[in-house]
């Protein structure tokens, strides 16, 4: 067998290596049927991709199928309400993120849910910066060039985001308010459509999660100008942070995480937490999340709840400051 073919065979075996040699035994008959995950955004974004990465390996732990269902719309509110309309039995989970769970309750006149009262956090998946990216053939080679253009021609540079009131949108608002980076916002219904228009040069810049664009930055279809975290991670290791570029008030970190409806039995929450953390900490899944520009968190329900409360307090102030509102 040629050496290259043998190497591919070894790599394929590693990629198919089980998360855990033995599945997690059911507890009091749970789970006994497929587990459904509601992805509240269209396919193609970081939330959806990360959800599918985790759920693809979950059956190895639970012994049950994991099904992902996209229910996009209203900034994720439609998907969140779909989970609340399901039975609180541990078989339906929401794949949430900062914009949905910590921003929407302040941004929308009626989001339709209270993240602290209506949901139980199971585990935070990751912590990730936002990335400011342009198409590979964009004239902007650096963030300084982009800023120079926005200041010499205010409002002429357009930036796309996954939607009104998303963390990406608010980051753009705060960059303009605190640092004079004046760009015109173009909201989309998820990161997938925004990516399509960026590559088609319908918008100049895209502000979105690193997970949404890591692959295209890596293969040269996009160029990352800056990230919003205090540190560099994964394929963005060569990309400067906004703090490094002299914008100390431009630290914005996103996260994804799993939630169940309030009233879900504690023993089932505990089982789901243990199963999901086992997947998140497995070498292959952890590697893919890290290479995508995120840091694996895999927190306890209590720690995730504390993070959520902190983010709700922070982003409610930012929403008020920005004047953003969605009816």
């Amino acid at each position: 067998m040629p050496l290259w073919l043998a190497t591919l065979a070894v790599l394929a075996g590693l990629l198919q290596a089980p998360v855990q040699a033995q599945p997690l035994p059911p507890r009091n008959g749970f789970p006994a049927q497929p587990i459904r995950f509601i992805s509240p955004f269209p396919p193609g974004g970081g939330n959806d991709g990360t959800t599918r990465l985790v759920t693809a390996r979950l059956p190895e732990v639970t012994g049950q199928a994991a099904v992902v269902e996209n229910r996009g719309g209203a900034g994720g509110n439609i998907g969140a309400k779909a989970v609340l309309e399901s039975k609180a039995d541990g078989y339906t989970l929401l794949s949430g993120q900062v914009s949905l769970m910590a921003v929407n309750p302040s941004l929308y006149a009626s989001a339709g849910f209270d993240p602290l009262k209506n949901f139980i956090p199971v585990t935070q998946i990751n912590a990730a910066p936002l990335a400011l990216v342009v198409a590979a053939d964009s004239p902007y080679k650096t963030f300084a060039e982009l800023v120079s253009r926005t200041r010499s021609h205010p409002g002429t540079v357009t930036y796309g985001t996954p939607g009104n009131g998303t963390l990406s949108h608010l980051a753009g608002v705060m960059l303009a308010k605190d640092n004079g980076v004046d760009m015109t916002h173009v909201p989309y219904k998820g990161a997938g459509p925004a990516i399509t228009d960026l590559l088609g040069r319908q918008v100049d810049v895209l502000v979105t999660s690193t997970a949404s664009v890591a692959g295209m930055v890596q293969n040269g279809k996009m160029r990352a100008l800056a990230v919003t975290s205090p540190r560099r991670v994964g394929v963005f290791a060569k990309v400067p942070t906004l703090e490094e570029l002299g914008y100390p008030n431009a630290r914005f970190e996103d996260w994804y995480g799993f939630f169940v409806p309030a009233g879900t039995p504690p023993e089932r929450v505990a089982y789901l937490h243990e199963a999901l953390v086992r997947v998140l900490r497995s070498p292959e899944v952890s590697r893919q999340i890290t290479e995508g520009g995120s840091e694996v968190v895999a927190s306890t329900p209590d720690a995730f709840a504390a993070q959520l409360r902190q983010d709700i307090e922070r982003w409610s102030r930012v929403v008020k400051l920005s004047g953003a509102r969605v009816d």
Side-chain angles (χ1 to χ4, degrees):
M1 178 185 292
L3 180 59
W4 67 269
L5 189 59
T7 302
L8 284 179
V10 171
L11 288 174
L14 289 173
L15 291 176
Q16 296 301 316
V19 170
Q20 185 74 18
Q22 295 295 325
L24 192 61
R27 293 176 190 163
N28 297 323
F30 177 82
Q33 65 189 52
I35 301 172
R36 182 173 64 138
F37 290 78
I38 299 296
S39 176
F41 301 98
N47 181 291
D48 185 66
T50 303
T51 300
R52 293 178 185 278
L53 170 66
V54 174
T55 55
R57 309 304 296 267
L58 188 62
E60 300 171 25
V61 178
T62 64
Q64 295 293 333
V67 180
V68 179
E69 179 182 335
N70 291 91
R71 297 289 293 274
N77 293 342
I78 290 175
K81 286 185 279 190
V83 173
L84 292 182
E85 291 168 358
S86 66
K87 291 182 178 180
D89 57 7
Y91 285 106
T92 302
L93 290 85
L94 173 67
S95 181
Q97 68 183 88
V98 172
S99 61
L100 171 59
M101 305 303 284
V103 176
N104 282 11
S106 297
L107 178 73
Y108 283 79
S110 179
F113 65 93
D114 182 318
L116 295 174
K117 294 181 179 178
N118 299 142
F119 288 97
I120 298 173
V122 178
T123 188
Q124 182 178 337
I125 298 171
N126 66 339
L130 300 174
L132 288 82
V133 297
V134 295
D137 58 352
S138 167
Y140 305 115
K141 307 297 183 184
T142 66
F143 186 69
E145 292 177 359
L146 175 69
V147 171
S148 177
R149 177 67 182 183
T150 68
R151 289 175 176 168
S152 61
H153 297 78
T156 61
V157 175
T158 56
Y159 76 102
T161 71
N164 278 317
T166 59
L167 197 65
S168 300
H169 175 204
L170 294 179
V173 169
M174 296 308 293
L175 276 173
K177 189 174 291 291
D178 292 346
N179 303 291
V181 183
D182 187 5
M183 300 184 289
T184 298
H185 180 223
V186 181
Y188 288 85
K189 294 182 178 179
I195 288 169
T196 298
D197 271 11
L198 179 77
L199 295 176
R201 298 296 300 279
Q202 301 302 306
V203 289
D204 297 308
V205 188
L206 175 61
V207 183
T208 191
S209 65
T210 51
S212 299
V213 294
M216 280 164 284
V217 169
Q218 193 168 31
N219 65 24
K221 290 184 178 180
M222 292 181 183
R223 180 167 55 253
L225 302 182
V227 293
T228 66
S229 61
R231 58 202 165 274
R232 305 183 185 193
V233 182
V235 300
F236 299 89
K238 295 182 179 180
V239 180
T241 71
L242 287 176
E243 287 188 345
E244 291 172 351
L245 295 175
Y247 299 90
N249 297 321
R251 180 186 295 190
F252 309 104
E253 285 199 284
D254 198 1
W255 50 250
Y256 306 141
F258 295 117
F259 298 81
V260 290
T264 301
E267 65 273 12
R268 296 190 176 188
V269 176
Y271 180 96
L272 290 168
H273 172 262
E274 184 174 347
L276 288 164
V277 165
R278 186 178 292 189
V279 173
L280 290 170
R281 290 179 177 166
S282 66
E284 181 59 22
V285 172
S286 179
R287 180 189 66 78
Q288 291 190 54
I289 290 174
T290 301
E291 288 184 355
S294 301
E295 294 179 317
V296 176
V297 175
S299 57
T300 65
D302 286 346
F304 191 18
Q307 180 68 53
L308 177 60
R309 286 191 294 270
Q310 175 181 312
D311 285 331
I312 288 173
E313 182 178 352
R314 179 192 183 190
W315 290 110
S316 63
R317 291 198 303 267
V318 174
V319 169
K320 185 176 180 180
L321 180 64
S322 71
R325 191 70 172 168
V326 179
D327 293 326

